Amino acid sequence: MLSLKNTLLLGFAITAIACQQKKEEKNNASLYITTLDQQKLLEQTVIQDDEAEKSNYTITIDTAKTYQEIDGFGYSLTGGSAMLLHKMSSEKRGAILQELFGDREEDINVSYLRVSIGASDLDEHTWSYNDLKEGETDEDLKHFSLAYDTLYLVPVLKEILKINPQIKIMGSPWSPPTWMKTNNDTRGGSLKEEYHQVYADYFVKYIQAMKSHGINIDAVTIQNEPLHPGNNPSLLMLAEQQKEFVKNNLGPTFEANGIQTKIIVYDHNADRPDYPISILDDPEAAKYIDGSAFHLYGGEINALSEVHEKHPSKNLYFTEQWVGAPGDFSQEMEWHTENLIIGATRNWCKTVLEWNLAADENQDPHTDRGGCDRCLGAITIEGDEITRNPAYYIIAQASKFIAPGAIRIASNTSKSLPNVAFKTSEEIVSVIQNKTEKTQHISVKIGEENLTIELPAKSVGTLIQPTAIR
């Protein structure tokens, strides 16, 4: 039997071991900081144990209160981006693709891509998979061909898939073939009603053709920016037509062909949440629809929660936001982090995607008659030279640490210190933004554990904590 003295000594030893374990767990936490003045760019910072007394704000994370599962963070891989990457030397292209899509310490682990179905406005010219001479039609789609995509996009995607076989890919059309449209033009016009079924078959052929190259299309949106017919290419598709197309054509055609690709509606600005809501209000259409997608060139990000509240079983995706050349790092990093990395995910989005992955030093290529001539890529490619731009770091601050399958969890937030938290089987990851002009000492409380970090003025930090400290 242990004596009282020995019992006390054993108790002190157990307490000391427990304290040491807690200290080690805190020391295993990591903090990566990007400052708006670019003095720190994804820089790992030592977390001091003696900061608790200085804390002037507490973020309380509740791991039991969960929200949506994350599909990934990434970019649009436009045809122009793929062309520039493809023209690099194989060695340099392999290096930047590894950095973007790999999971080494120096990589940023991009986990989601959006590609265009046919041309986008950031291609060298407009085209579709079924271009015909004026006056011709092809309702059986006998002339369907993925040929142009096999020049640049497909080879680059295959290289990416070797690095990250689990990456998810979304396809979005900017325009159907011109012969299906009311104005017979790549720009504007609407889809002719008599070609609704042909266009549904066109989607199926696209998904099957990509699959034949080993590329799985996880999801499609019906139309990029359906309320913006001034781009080139583009299409006007009002909510009623999109609903009828999904309900009567695309949904049943996917089902008949065993297509598992998710159908996502809208894919435009947050100022019109009524658009997807009106489609989802129809149960016959909604049964085919996974969710809706948004951009933020208009409206407020919290409008996305209106869609969730009306249709909580349907998913939300944030699919596009551009950075205008030449790109103000401080302004873009602050706004995009608050509204997209934090704002979109706090409003139920499963993805956050920036527009677009790459352009050259002149913001080329782009189409005429409305193609974006000021869209700054996440990277600029000049031959084999790479410049990393604001969108690279905006996405990297999340993608590097928040893997697909992570679950958003509850945390209190404020205007000066917006934040969002996620959990995986091994870690709690928090993205915390300091919008103030002063260094902030922030306590991050998870259950009974409390860790204090120092976040510089005007900065973004990603805090990774092992789940053992919950």
Side-chain angles (χ1 to χ4, degrees):
M1 182 178 291
L2 288 173
S3 67
L4 178 60
K5 180 180 178 181
N6 287 337
T7 301
L8 290 172
L9 288 172
L10 179 61
F12 289 143
I14 292 172
T15 301
I17 291 169
C19 289
Q20 180 63 28
Q21 285 176 336
K22 287 184 178 181
K23 184 176 181 180
E24 288 174 357
E25 287 164 356
K26 286 187 178 183
N27 288 341
N28 285 334
S30 301
L31 178 64
Y32 290 78
I33 292 174
T34 295
T35 55
L36 302 193
D37 63 8
Q38 302 183 68
Q39 293 302 303
K40 295 178 185 288
L41 293 170
L42 282 173
E43 183 176 309
Q44 187 170 9
T45 305
V46 174
I47 299 173
Q48 302 292 341
D49 281 339
D50 58 355
E51 300 289 351
E53 294 180 3
K54 303 177 184 177
S55 174
N56 50 16
Y57 187 81
T58 299
I59 295 172
T60 301
I61 295 173
D62 183 354
T63 60
K65 191 170 184 180
T66 61
Y67 301 92
Q68 79 277 19
E69 181 178 330
I70 296 300
D71 276 1
F73 297 87
Y75 306 100
S76 289
L77 177 63
T78 60
S81 297
M83 182 180 73
L84 294 169
L85 285 162
H86 191 264
K87 289 182 177 180
M88 296 177 72
S89 68
S90 59
E91 179 184 1
K92 295 294 186 180
R93 180 177 62 253
I96 189 60
L97 291 180
Q98 175 65 43
E99 179 184 329
L100 288 164
F101 300 100
D103 60 0
R104 303 173 309 180
E105 177 60 32
E106 61 268 35
D107 302 335
I108 67 168
N109 205 18
V110 167
S111 51
Y112 206 104
L113 286 173
R114 179 176 178 237
V115 300
S116 60
I117 299 176
S120 77
D121 62 306
L122 294 188
D123 272 277
E124 55 184 342
H125 56 76
T126 59
W127 52 275
S128 78
Y129 303 119
N130 200 301
D131 289 329
L132 305 173
K133 293 178 181 178
E134 189 171 351
E136 293 181 348
T137 62
D138 180 19
E139 294 186 31
D140 294 328
L141 300 176
K142 292 179 180 179
H143 301 288
F144 183 97
S145 173
L146 206 67
Y148 187 83
D149 270 348
T150 64
L151 297 179
Y152 310 122
L153 181 67
V154 167
V156 169
L157 282 175
K158 285 183 176 181
E159 286 191 60
I160 292 168
L161 285 164
K162 286 181 181 178
I163 297 166
N164 181 0
Q166 282 74 48
I167 195 165
K168 290 188 175 181
I169 301 169
M170 171 187 286
S172 299
W174 267 241
S175 174
T178 57
W179 56 270
M180 295 186 192
K181 300 175 70 176
T182 56
N183 65 347
N184 198 40
D185 191 355
T186 56
R187 180 180 176 180
S190 295
L191 178 65
K192 290 182 177 179
E193 189 173 348
E194 60 263 36
Y195 291 131
H196 276 200
Q197 185 54 50
V198 180
Y199 196 37
D201 295 336
Y202 182 90
F203 273 86
V204 170
K205 280 189 171 290
Y206 166 73
I207 292 164
Q208 292 173 337
M210 292 295 273
K211 190 72 173 178
S212 73
H213 289 281
I215 299 165
N216 180 61
I217 302 300
D218 183 71
V220 293
T221 64
I222 310 304
Q223 172 60 39
N224 172 70
E225 299 189 343
L227 300 178
H228 175 37
N231 202 352
N232 188 28
S234 61
L235 178 82
L236 176 65
M237 182 179 270
L238 301 180
E240 182 66 22
Q241 183 178 28
Q242 191 161 122
K243 179 182 72 175
E244 293 302 313
F245 176 63
V246 172
K247 178 169 67 174
N248 300 323
N249 305 102
L250 191 64
T253 302
F254 274 21
E255 195 172 76
N257 286 274
I259 300 294
Q260 299 299 310
T261 300
K262 302 177 184 75
I263 295 173
I264 298 171
V265 297
Y266 191 45
D267 205 6
H268 208 169
N269 290 331
D271 57 356
R272 290 295 305 274
D274 60 296
Y275 188 117
I277 288 171
S278 69
I279 297 173
L280 295 170
D281 281 345
D282 185 329
E284 291 304 307
K287 68 182 181 181
Y288 298 114
I289 296 168
D290 175 84
S292 51
F294 284 87
H295 309 174
L296 196 57
Y297 305 115
E300 301 293 333
I301 196 66
N302 58 13
L304 278 60
S305 284
E306 295 178 30
V307 184
H308 173 79
E309 288 162 9
K310 290 283 187 179
H311 296 281
S313 67
K314 300 300 182 182
N315 293 313
L316 290 169
Y317 301 82
F318 193 89
T319 50
E320 181 184 317
Q321 197 71 25
W322 76 315
V323 171
D328 181 317
F329 187 92
S330 176
Q331 177 181 308
E332 302 292 356
M333 189 77 194
E334 182 171 53
W335 188 91
H336 286 242
T337 299
E338 181 178 8
N339 287 280
L340 308 186
I341 302 300
I342 295 172
T345 54
R346 287 190 77 98
N347 284 278
W348 295 95
C349 285
K350 293 169 69 67
T351 63
V352 176
L353 310 179
E354 287 277 339
W355 175 262
N356 74 99
L357 180 58
D360 73 8
E361 67 275 20
N362 299 311
Q363 282 42 264
D364 285 328
H366 60 81
T367 61
D368 62 359
R369 298 191 301 145
C372 183
D373 60 1
R374 294 190 300 118
C375 286
L376 183 67
I379 58 173
T380 297
I381 300 176
E382 298 181 63
D384 270 357
E385 297 300 314
I386 297 293
T387 303
R388 293 157 188 80
N389 298 318
Y392 174 95
Y393 293 100
I394 292 163
I395 290 297
Q397 200 74 41
S399 64
K400 186 174 176 69
F401 313 104
I402 305 164
I407 305 293
R408 180 170 70 92
I409 52 180
S411 64
N412 60 302
T413 190
S414 70
K415 289 184 178 180
S416 60
L417 293 168
N419 65 83
V420 64
F422 307 87
K423 71 174 179 179
T424 70
S425 59
E426 298 178 350
E427 297 170 333
I428 304 297
V429 182
S430 309
V431 180
I432 307 168
Q433 183 175 7
N434 180 5
K435 294 180 64 182
T436 75
E437 301 288 348
K438 297 179 180 180
T439 295
Q440 298 291 335
H441 293 84
I442 305 163
S443 291
V444 181
K445 183 176 172 59
I446 306 175
E448 297 302 314
E449 299 297 336
N450 199 9
L451 178 67
T452 299
I453 62 170
E454 181 180 289
L455 203 55
K458 294 289 184 180
S459 69
V460 181
T462 303
L463 175 65
I464 303 98
Q465 300 169 263
T467 51
I469 71 169
R470 286 186 297 171

